[in-house]
Amino acid sequence: MQVAVKIENIRKTYGDIVALKDISLRINEGEIFGIIGPDGSGKTSLFRILATLLLADSGTVSLLGLDVVKDYKALRKMLGYMPGRFSLYQDLTVEENINLFASLFGTTVAAQYDIIKDIYSQIEPFKDRRAGKLSGGMKQKLALSCVLVHKPRILLLDEPTTGVDPISRKEFWGILKRLKAWNITIVVSTPYMDEAMQCDRVALIQDGNIMSVDTPDNIVNEFPARLYAVKTSNKHTILTDLRDFEYTGSAFAFGDHIHFTDVRTEFTNDELKAYLEEKGHTDIDISETTATIEDCFIELMRKKI
Amino acid sequence: MRIILFIIRKEFRQIFRNKAMLPIIFIIPMIQLLILSNAATFEIQNINIVVVDDDNTVTSHRLISKLEGSPYFNLQEVLNNRQNGLKKLDKGQTNMVLEIPLYFEKNITNHIPVKLQLSADAIDGVKAGLGSGYIQSIVSEFGNALIQVSGQTTAIGGVRISYSYWYNENLDYKTFMVPGILVLLITMIGSFLSGMNIVREKEIGTIEQLNVTPIKKHQFIIGKLFPFIVIGIFELSFGLALARIIFHTPFIGSFWLIIAFALVYMLVVLGIGLLISTITDTQQQAMFISWFFMVIFILMSGLFTPIENMPLWAQKITLFNPIRYFIEVMRMVMLKGAGFQEIKYHFLIVGGYGVALLSLATWRYRKTT
């Protein structure tokens, strides 16, 4: 497997704030690589460095063997970068936008129709509409068409699904998976933990550090403890009561349940149930559950602290 | 080349789709031309004047009626008490007080020189200066008429100046102002619009998407600036036509020479706009910086204050003012019929200025931060 993106010891600071703390990462050719982390974790800085728009303070990045600083001119022809914020011309129509970007890359929509067909055909009925008048999901499809129109080897998608409705998000990931057929390396960031499962591999990033890089399944499998979902009638006090429990490893709200781990390997539901009953909870429901990426993320964050 | 054309097409589309932009480009400048050309005049009329007539004779009445008949003065009152007249001046109720002394008529008939006292409110220095000038000419004309009547031509006022105003025979201020105001209009349109344009792309984030494409700096900048050159030249031509039709401004020289100079001049204006937009991040910042320079450039352009009247150091500063050169060229070509030979240094200076500014701006414009 060829390495498409090689990041070595990248550091980026803005004044006193360290956005990226000596990050190193390798992304293989043709994979969908997810960069998962909350807002402010350094995702966008990393993307802008990859996209040749931002210079790192130290460290090197090479994409397809080309250095982002020295060979940026050659690289820009092979990259498709979609910023987190919609940055097409809102006062131009769908068709004018895509034609503009095609011509900037020295090609035409007709010549590249095969690669964008899957996406562009969905918004083509609205080609005379101004981009600013499109819905969030359609805007993303247009933006993706515009960055695909020159058949890039690497796609950099910075939070492409933020602000997009769940159905469109699902569709969007379907499109990305079909793009793998073109052997395009896709680097995608998202603050939504559930989307991590759609990636081939993910990096969990927090405060400018990469905490873990692996396939989503491995990350989930490596969850260090048995995880229980706890639910009782009293939603207000359950979290604090669980945290007060002598053997609690972690307790976090997760939907309408509390995800709970116990520090002991031997653990019985009854013991916890007795404790909760003592605290005045009724309708107690404790069941073992499988960890999600989010649980792993929280666990990793907790360990760091 | 194809890429430049695409950018140009995109810019034109965006300009014509922006509903606020069209009136800014096409209507507001024309309104400005119409208003400013009529309003910004140095001719002073309707100066309020109070006469204190201590003599109260036929001769003094004749002088007063001369004042009354002048378009420059608005005779408010004729008093016979000096103090009352000066009080009016104090209170700002009048601009000037002219005092006709006692024995005015008697002394004139006896060939004794008479003195008139003029007090002017000089808060508005231009008005006071011009007003006393007008009074002087009215009084000396009045004196000469008296002399001719009495048949004595030699004693007083032997020297007379006769005036001949070249290139603007009737001293029409519009002839003088309109070419200058046209220059201001295309300067403002050019520098503001181009300055705001690129900053706007920064603000809405579209520049980010553009920067990752292989587009070259010069393609981007030429594509951005070309539409504004077209708009600027169009406006200038339209303005010149309006000047001819509405103000009957003479146009002796070559129209194409003006256009050729305007093309060179636009490089400077757009260079300023571009430079400002590369060093600012928001349209607001760009607007303030543009204004700062525009106010200095306009006030020091020689349009409102003759450059020769400025202190020497200020005159030197105006050598860096592009507006000054274009106004000079406009007046020289339109009113005097100057040809290329007469304005070749203007071409050289403004051309050099433009190339320098554009190179600086292009160099400053970064695709990477």
Side-chain angles (χ1 to χ4, degrees), chain B residues 295-306:
Chain B
V295 167
I296 293 179
F297 281 165
I298 290 173
L299 291 181
M300 294 190 75
S301 66
L303 181 61
F304 298 109
T305 313

Side-chain angles (χ1 to χ4, degrees), chain A residues 206 211 223-225 243 248-252 261-263 295-305:
Chain A
Q206 164 77 12
M211 299 189 295
F223 191 74
R243 283 188 177 159
T248 296
S250 65
F252 289 97
T261 58
D262 196 281
V263 288
D295 293 306
C296 301
F297 195 92
I298 290 167
E299 185 62 25
L300 285 166
M301 268 170 60
R302 210 169 59 85
K303 265 194 212 151
K304 237 182 65 190
I305 300 160

Side-chain angles (χ1 to χ4, degrees), chain A:
Chain A
M1 187 96 63
Q2 285 276 317
V3 175
V5 179
K6 204 159 102 187
I7 300 170
E8 300 214 10
N9 299 317
I10 279 294
R11 185 176 188 84
K12 179 70 195 175
T13 55
Y14 300 99
D16 290 340
I17 300 159
V18 185
L20 295 170
K21 296 172 185 159
D22 302 305
I23 280 183
S24 297
L25 192 64
R26 264 148 221 260
I27 297 170
N28 297 323
E29 207 170 327
E31 71 179 340
I32 298 183
F33 192 92
I35 293 183
I36 319 290
D39 289 345
S41 54
K43 297 192 299 283
T44 297
S45 294
L46 184 59
F47 269 86
R48 298 195 69 222
I49 290 171
L50 292 178
T52 76
L53 288 173
L54 186 70
L55 297 174
D57 298 345
S58 60
T60 56
V61 177
S62 64
L63 306 176
L64 304 164
L66 296 168
D67 187 84
V68 285
V69 183
K70 276 192 305 228
D71 310 313
Y72 71 95
K73 278 186 182 158
L75 258 181
R76 281 179 180 165
K77 294 193 184 104
M78 303 179 206
L79 287 182
Y81 167 57
M82 195 168 135
R85 191 168 147 209
F86 183 69
S87 18
L88 296 176
Y89 292 96
Q90 313 234 10
D91 46 358
L92 295 183
T93 65
V94 168
E95 198 179 20
E96 286 162 357
N97 264 305
I98 195 159
N99 281 335
L100 174 71
F101 283 96
S103 66
L104 288 180
F105 283 99
T107 180
T108 60
V109 173
Q112 307 289 341
Y113 198 72
D114 50 348
I115 188 167
I116 58 169
K117 192 180 140 218
D118 184 26
I119 313 148
Y120 189 57
S121 60
Q122 298 180 37
I123 46 174
E124 225 173 351
F126 312 102
K127 65 184 164 90
D128 293 323
R129 196 180 285 186
R130 305 255 170 106
K133 297 254 191 292
L134 294 174
S135 70
M138 290 215 285
K139 272 184 184 162
Q140 288 314 80
K141 282 176 194 160
L142 175 60
L144 189 59
S145 305
C146 285
V147 296
L148 272 177
V149 76
H150 61 291
K151 282 207 181 88
R153 304 260 319 267
I154 297 183
L155 261 190
L156 304 168
L157 310 174
D158 191 6
E159 299 201 7
T161 54
T162 300
V164 175
D165 66 274
I167 295 167
S168 297
R169 269 167 63 186
K170 218 175 148 207
E171 261 179 31
F172 196 84
W173 280 97
I175 290 168
L176 292 189
K177 287 195 168 160
R178 288 196 291 279
L179 278 177
K180 283 186 73 175
W182 296 87
N183 196 32
I184 295 175
T185 308
I186 301 173
V187 187
V188 54
S189 74
T190 176
Y192 302 119
M193 303 288 167
D194 55 317
E195 290 185 346
M197 298 307 285
Q198 312 277 343
C199 303
D200 295 326
R201 287 198 306 150
V202 295
L204 302 183
I205 179 170
Q206 164 77 12
D207 288 334
N209 285 308
I210 290 181
M211 299 189 295
S212 174
V213 182
D214 213 329
T215 63
D217 286 339
N218 280 349
I219 286 183
V220 168
N221 289 340
E222 276 170 19
F223 191 74
R226 290 166 79 175
L227 187 71
Y228 296 89
V230 182
K231 191 183 176 184
T232 69
S233 57
N234 193 341
K235 285 177 188 158
H236 302 292
T237 55
I238 174 79
L239 190 59
T240 44
D241 286 344
L242 272 177
R243 283 188 177 159
D244 289 340
F245 186 55
E246 195 176 351
Y247 302 109
T248 296
S250 65
F252 289 97
F254 198 94
D256 56 352
H257 286 70
I258 304 292
H259 276 188
F260 167 83
T261 58
D262 196 281
V263 288
R264 300 162 298 175
T265 40
E266 299 296 314
F267 167 76
T268 53
N269 289 3
D270 296 342
E271 199 181 342
L272 182 63
K273 198 170 175 180
Y275 166 77
L276 288 173
E277 271 169 350
E278 193 186 306
K279 287 277 180 185
H281 292 276
T282 52
D283 299 332
I284 298 165
D285 173 30
I286 301 171
S287 58
E288 194 167 348
T289 182
T290 48
T292 64
I293 288 276
E294 191 161 352
D295 293 306
C296 301
F297 195 92
I298 290 167
E299 185 62 25
L300 285 166
M301 268 170 60
R302 210 169 59 85
K303 265 194 212 151
K304 237 182 65 190
I305 300 160

